[in-house]
Amino acid sequence: QVQLVESGGGSVQTGGSLRLSCAASEYIIGLYCMAWFRQAPGKEREGVAAVSNWGSVTYYAVPVKGRFTISQDNAKNALYLQMSSLNPEDTAMYYCAAGRTVCSTWWTSANRYNDWGQGTQVTVSS
């Protein structure tokens, strides 16, 4: 099982920015679908962004498109999520997830991912 460790969460005000990082214990970034999900209290886990094909293909959820950017560093085996123009609706626990195939239209389905990190909290205040 691949170990995924997220970092970079914190508390910011509306309009602020954060950069999340995810470190993988094995060399999988670039090979498979890697994604960021988030889960707010009382809500279902939702896909935020995904990347595969060595970073050449990216997917974004509508609420974050244009504000968030997913990227990866294959040499460092790391996944990132740059978040800008944050608002209180972005408050959630953010999780890094790894699949075992390239991303496709299924990328928002949490049950298609094999490995998950422990999460990092993002809190946006108004």
Side-chain angles (χ1 to χ4, degrees), residues 78-92:
L79 180 73
Y80 305 102
L81 184 69
Q82 178 67 47
M83 305 185 295
S84 303
S85 301
L86 287 162
N87 59 64
E89 289 70 41
D90 296 315
T91 295

Side-chain angles (χ1 to χ4, degrees), residues 27-34 51-53 98-103:
Y27 185 67
I28 59 170
I29 292 178
L31 295 175
Y32 301 127
C33 185
M34 299 295 299
V51 61
S52 69
N53 298 84
R100 286 295 180 270
T101 184
V102 296
C103 296

